[in-house]
Amino acid sequence: MAKVGIVMGSDSDMPVMAKAAEILDKFGVEYEMTIISAHREPDIFFAWAKAAEGKGMKVIIAGAGKAAHLPGMCAALFPMPVIGIPMKTSDLGGVDSLYSIVQMPSGVPVATVAINGGANAGILAAKMLAMSDPELLKKLKEYSEGLKNDVVKKAEKLEKAGYQEYLAQM
């Protein structure tokens, strides 16, 4: 099965990146997760990104904050899709990370999810892989149906209880 690479520049990113891993676990998608600083250990980063394709990775999820170079550098070295997760930062709330990741030069795209959007990055990676994996596509359709059913149940509960009782139960 195709693998996903999950890379972050710091262990402080782990709570967000773990959400991507949890989604991939849910769908049975294999992944490799690591911490590599593109700025502090560029030689290790370059070796990892260049070796990713040979290890069977088809998508990389890269999380980064502040200057947020990790996703773009992955996209520069890895020939398949890269999904960037901008991390919320204390200075600018993650907007700096978001802008850094989405403003890639022409020819080096990075698909970008919301600030701290680890779960959506995992779902997007699974959807990319599902284009050539019918079993994974089936799991994604079931997941979407479950999301729909959750909303329907909440609407029914609201209609039955009224908004004040519904709020009291939250």
Side-chain angles (χ1 to χ4, degrees), residues 15-75:
V16 172
M17 303 308 283
K19 291 177 183 176
E22 289 166 9
I23 290 290
L24 295 174
D25 284 337
K26 177 183 221 109
F27 293 125
V29 175
E30 189 179 346
Y31 59 88
E32 172 185 307
M33 182 185 285
T34 192
I35 301 167
I36 304 173
S37 172
H39 296 115
R40 293 180 188 94
E41 45 189 13
D43 52 335
I44 294 171
F45 167 73
F46 273 76
W48 182 84
K50 287 182 175 185
E53 182 183 7
K55 292 182 184 179
M57 292 181 206
K58 301 296 183 195
V59 180
I60 290 177
I61 299 172
K66 299 193 179 193
H69 291 124
L70 195 61
M73 289 304 298
C74 285

Side-chain angles (χ1 to χ4, degrees), residues 11 34 42 46 51 53 67 69 76 88 91 102 113 125 134 153 159 166:
D11 63 351
T34 192
F46 273 76
E53 182 183 7
H69 291 124
K88 185 174 182 181
D91 299 330
V102 299
V113 296
K153 287 177 189 172
E159 290 170 12
Y166 187 89

Side-chain angles (χ1 to χ4, degrees), residues 18 59 63-64 68 73 90 104 138 155 158 162 170:
V59 180
M73 289 304 298
S90 57
M104 291 299 297
K138 180 182 175 198
L158 173 60
M170 291 180 76

